[in-house]
Amino acid sequence: MAHQKHNNHQVKAKKFLGQHFLEDEGIAKDIADALTLNGYKNVLEIGPGMGVLTKYLLQKPITTYVIEIDTESVEYLQNNYLNLAPRIIEKDFLKYDLSQTFKDQPFAIIGNFPYNISTQIVFKTLELRDQIPEFSGMFQKEVAQRICSKEGSKVYGILSVLTQAFYDAEYLFTVPPTVFNPPPRVDSGVLRLTRKADYSLPCDEKLFFRVVKQAFQQRRKTIRNSLKTMELSDNLKANPIFDKRPEQLSVAQFLELTSLIENDK
C-alpha cells in the first residue's frame, strides 16, 4: 500500500518552472473544448503537470502527446495515466525537435503554459506553422490580449502582428487566480489560434520579421524614423505609410510595407 501512496502523491509546484496547477475541472474541460479537431489527428500538450487538462484531451477522438520537463510530474503521469505513458515526452519543448515525434504529420498545441516561456512557445509555433493548424492555451491575461489585439490598441505589438500574419487569433475567456495552486498574481486568459487558409506571405519572411521588430522597438516614432537604419530611398520614404506609427498599421499594411521595402531599388 505504501508504494501505491507514493505513486499518487501530489506534485509540488516549482517556482523556477513557472508552475501553477489548475484545480478547476470545468475550466480544464473548457480549455480542452477550445480545440476544433479540424485538420489534425494529434495534439501536443505542453506542461501537463498532474494531468488536469490531459484527462479531457484523452476523451477526445485524437491522439494526445504531452511534453513535460519536470521529472516529478512525469512520474505522476506515468503512474496515473497508464495509456498515456508511451506518449510522454520528457523534454524541454523549446529545445526539442518535434519531428522526432510527429515526423511531418500535423498536430495541434494546447496547454496551461508556464508564464515565463509563453511568448517563446508562440514564436516556436510560428516557426513550425506548416505543421500546426491550431493552437489553444492559457497565458497571462495581458499576453493573451496582446496576441489577439488589433491595430490601434495600446497592447498591439510584435507578438500580435507576427502571430496574426499566419493565424486568426481569438481571445476566448478569462480565468481568475483563485483556481490555481499556487494562485498566480494576475488573471489568465485562454485563446485559440487557427491557421489561415492561405498563410503564405506575399513578401520575404525574414525581412517581414525584421521590419515588424524594428518598427515596434520605437513604437512612439513614425515608421520613417524607426526604420532609419534600413537605408531606404527618399522616394520610398515619401509614401504616406511612413508617416504612421507602428501601432496604426494593420497586419496587411505591415506585409505591404515589407513588399515596398523589398522592391525598393
Side-chain angles (χ1 to χ4, degrees):
M1 276 313 281
H3 180 66
Q4 190 61 38
K5 192 165 177 231
H6 171 73
N7 280 351
N8 294 327
H9 75 291
Q10 299 289 295
V11 176
K12 238 176 98 62
K14 294 165 193 64
K15 201 170 182 179
F16 75 97
L17 291 175
Q19 287 176 332
H20 295 276
F21 293 130
L22 177 63
E23 295 190 319
D24 186 306
E25 296 287 335
I27 291 171
K29 186 177 185 308
D30 287 346
I31 297 172
D33 289 346
L35 292 176
T36 66
L37 311 186
N38 289 333
Y40 53 88
K41 294 194 169 60
N42 299 309
V43 62
L44 177 66
E45 182 189 354
I46 298 172
M50 287 181 282
V52 62
L53 172 58
T54 319
K55 67 163 144 336
Y56 293 104
L57 296 172
L58 290 169
Q59 294 169 10
K60 295 187 177 291
I62 43 173
T63 307
T64 300
Y65 292 79
V66 300
I67 187 162
E68 175 60 77
I69 200 171
D70 175 26
T71 332
E72 202 187 351
S73 294
V74 168
E75 195 181 314
Y76 181 91
L77 292 168
Q78 282 170 338
N79 291 323
N80 291 280
Y81 295 90
L82 300 179
N83 55 349
L84 177 71
R87 297 187 307 282
I88 299 173
I89 306 160
E90 195 174 344
K91 297 281 183 193
D92 176 345
F93 172 76
L94 296 175
K95 297 183 182 142
Y96 180 62
D97 173 7
L98 288 153
S99 67
Q100 290 182 38
T101 298
F102 296 108
K103 310 271 187 298
D104 54 2
Q105 294 297 305
F107 58 96
I109 281 185
I110 197 165
N112 164 22
F113 304 125
Y115 290 161
N116 51 354
I117 60 161
S118 62
T119 53
Q120 292 157 277
I121 289 172
V122 175
F123 282 123
K124 179 157 178 178
T125 298
L126 297 182
E127 280 169 34
L128 297 171
R129 60 187 176 270
D130 287 337
Q131 267 185 284
I132 304 176
E134 195 169 67
F135 175 107
S136 175
M138 181 149 43
F139 292 82
Q140 193 169 328
K141 182 183 179 183
E142 62 177 44
V143 177
Q145 287 175 319
R146 193 182 312 150
I147 293 168
C148 299
S149 67
K150 296 282 181 233
E151 70 274 12
S153 152
K154 278 192 173 63
V155 295
Y156 180 70
I158 294 171
L159 208 52
S160 335
V161 177
L162 298 183
T163 305
Q164 292 173 42
F166 308 108
Y167 290 87
D168 293 320
E170 296 167 86
Y171 185 93
L172 300 176
F173 56 90
T174 300
V175 180
T178 47
V179 298
F180 295 93
N181 179 23
R185 292 204 180 88
V186 291
D187 280 347
S188 301
V190 175
L191 59 73
R192 176 172 55 225
L193 305 178
T194 311
R195 193 175 59 198
K196 297 181 176 204
D198 176 12
Y199 61 96
S200 57
L201 297 186
C203 57
D204 179 74
E205 182 194 323
K206 279 198 174 68
L207 184 61
F208 172 64
F209 275 63
R210 189 180 149 204
V211 166
V212 173
K213 285 176 178 171
Q214 205 166 319
F216 278 106
Q217 264 160 10
Q218 301 169 300
R219 60 185 298 141
R220 296 283 158 261
K221 295 188 172 177
T222 63
I223 298 285
R224 187 176 293 110
N225 276 329
S226 57
L227 299 187
K228 245 189 188 125
T229 56
M230 292 186 106
E231 296 176 2
L232 305 171
S233 68
D234 291 342
N235 188 23
L236 177 61
K237 284 188 291 194
N239 187 311
I241 202 166
F242 282 86
D243 296 329
K244 292 183 183 276
R245 293 197 313 280
E247 63 198 48
Q248 296 174 297
L249 294 191
S250 67
V251 175
Q253 286 173 306
F254 266 110
L255 291 165
E256 185 192 328
L257 172 65
T258 308
S259 294
L260 290 170
I261 291 170
E262 207 175 336
N263 298 316
D264 186 34
K265 293 291 178 273

